[in-house]
Amino acid sequence: MIYPIYDNTQCELTDLRVLITRPATQANTLIQMLNEAHAIPRLLPMVAIHSRFDDPSLTLALNAYDAAEYLIFTSVNAVTHAIMAIKQAKKQWPPSKIIFAVGSTTRDCLQDQGCTEVIIPDGKFCSENLLHKIASYPIRDKLMIIFGGAHPRSLLESTLKKQNAQVLHAICYERHQEVIKMDLTQQHELLDSIDVFVFTSDEILVCFMQIICDELHDQLFKKPFLIISRRMHQTLQRMGYTKSPIIADNPTDSGIMAALTHWYEEYHHG
């Protein structure tokens, strides 16, 4: 089930034990919100974020930066690492260009960095809806730079190229799996100490499953999982997870809190 808007004035998650598996650099706000709701958050990052300032695609994009009319940022990580690279290259920031972001958190990060006008999708924050938004702009033969991470979905770039835009995809960061080793006793203790598991990408979900031994999967799959898309639900089903997961309407901290709060209310009062 997908849940509605988060209202922090009515959020109460007393003693709910929540495992956060996203990168540590992206977890602080969610941890703070959970603490304010009297939940008990625990952080176990599955991946870490590293810059790719020497990537040839980024070098190419920075060389073409002045000529670009549109910039697209696919994540907060893209904003953070792209701006560092842009400033190191002594390029103009904030730029006099049309700027798109894939969601509200990415937009907020850009605005914190001086961009007053940032365009985001209507409705659900995803590449498909961002493309609908971009479609109203004259992009034919215009240079667009997409700032993102390694191994991206190809939808944005391929669709824009089909619309005859000139597109450069600049890889400015990558994810690395954290090395986490737990013996069977520690795995049991982890599963017993958590009420809800939060996963914000397929990659993070797969990494987590790799640290839990097969014989504990049945125990793990009895727990509620919170995920951020129906596509992730398909991944869960392929893994053998048969419960109905909690699905956040969007991957923002507020979206996750809204889903968690409404699930909690239904679970305890429904």
Side-chain angles (χ1 to χ4, degrees), residues 14-33:
T14 303
D15 295 334
L16 184 69
R17 301 169 301 175
V18 182
L19 186 71
I20 302 168
T21 54
R22 60 171 32 162
T25 54
Q26 299 174 357
N28 290 340
T29 300
L30 182 56
I31 289 173
Q32 179 181 347
M33 295 168 84

Side-chain angles (χ1 to χ4, degrees), residues 196-247:
V196 179
F197 294 78
V198 177
F199 301 105
T200 52
S201 73
D202 281 345
E203 178 187 18
I204 287 173
L205 176 59
V206 169
C207 290
F208 183 78
M209 294 305 298
Q210 290 174 351
I211 69 171
I212 303 298
C213 66
D214 291 348
E215 65 185 86
L216 293 183
H217 283 188
D218 286 345
Q219 179 184 347
L220 173 63
F221 285 173
K222 293 176 182 177
K223 300 276 188 172
F225 283 13
L226 187 150
I227 57 177
I228 61 166
S229 70
R230 295 195 183 279
R231 189 172 66 248
M232 286 188 68
H233 189 190
Q234 295 172 355
T235 302
L236 277 177
Q237 289 174 322
R238 288 194 294 270
M239 290 178 171
Y241 187 83
T242 57
K243 290 174 64 71
S244 294
I246 309 162
I247 305 178

Side-chain angles (χ1 to χ4, degrees), residues 19-254:
L19 186 71
I20 302 168
T21 54
R22 60 171 32 162
T25 54
Q26 299 174 357
N28 290 340
T29 300
L30 182 56
I31 289 173
Q32 179 181 347
M33 295 168 84
L34 287 165
N35 281 325
E36 290 173 353
H38 306 111
I40 305 172
R42 177 174 174 180
L43 178 63
L44 185 65
M46 292 294 105
V47 297
I49 307 299
H50 298 277
S51 61
R52 284 273 294 264
F53 293 150
D54 59 349
D55 195 278
S57 68
L58 180 59
T59 301
L60 182 63
L62 291 173
N63 288 337
Y65 179 84
D66 293 339
E69 295 191 31
Y70 299 90
L71 303 180
I72 301 173
F73 294 86
T74 61
S75 67
V76 170
N77 288 318
V79 174
T80 302
H81 291 85
I83 291 177
M84 284 192 287
I86 290 166
K87 290 182 176 180
Q88 286 176 7
K90 302 189 184 304
K91 300 294 184 179
Q92 180 187 6
W93 187 269
S96 300
K97 305 177 188 294
I98 297 173
I99 299 177
F100 295 96
V102 77
S104 61
T105 304
T106 306
R107 175 202 60 198
D108 294 346
C109 186
L110 283 162
Q111 290 178 337
D112 288 343
Q113 295 296 325
C115 297
T116 55
E117 294 188 19
V118 180
I119 302 157
I120 62 173
D122 297 321
K124 183 176 177 61
F125 300 140
C126 61
S127 297
E128 290 82 356
N129 284 349
L130 181 58
L131 285 166
H132 286 307
K133 198 73 173 180
I134 294 173
S136 62
Y137 288 80
I139 64 171
R140 184 182 181 89
D141 297 325
K142 304 296 185 181
L143 178 58
M144 313 181 78
I145 299 176
I146 303 172
F147 289 103
H151 314 298
R153 291 179 67 197
S154 61
L155 179 65
L156 269 178
E157 183 176 358
S158 61
T159 303
L160 293 171
K161 284 182 175 178
K162 288 177 183 177
Q163 296 171 359
N164 296 306
Q166 299 177 36
V167 184
L168 294 177
H169 193 286
I171 296 172
C172 51
Y173 72 94
E174 64 184 348
R175 296 176 175 85
H176 289 285
Q177 184 173 352
E178 296 277 23
V179 178
I180 299 173
K181 295 181 180 180
M182 293 190 292
D183 61 29
L184 189 59
T185 299
Q186 291 171 320
Q187 293 176 41
H188 269 292
E189 290 174 348
L190 174 65
L191 300 191
D192 290 340
S193 67
I194 299 299
D195 298 313
V196 179
F197 294 78
V198 177
F199 301 105
T200 52
S201 73
D202 281 345
E203 178 187 18
I204 287 173
L205 176 59
V206 169
C207 290
F208 183 78
M209 294 305 298
Q210 290 174 351
I211 69 171
I212 303 298
C213 66
D214 291 348
E215 65 185 86
L216 293 183
H217 283 188
D218 286 345
Q219 179 184 347
L220 173 63
F221 285 173
K222 293 176 182 177
K223 300 276 188 172
F225 283 13
L226 187 150
I227 57 177
I228 61 166
S229 70
R230 295 195 183 279
R231 189 172 66 248
M232 286 188 68
H233 189 190
Q234 295 172 355
T235 302
L236 277 177
Q237 289 174 322
R238 288 194 294 270
M239 290 178 171
Y241 187 83
T242 57
K243 290 174 64 71
S244 294
I246 309 162
I247 305 178
D249 181 57
N250 63 73
T252 64
D253 296 321
S254 293

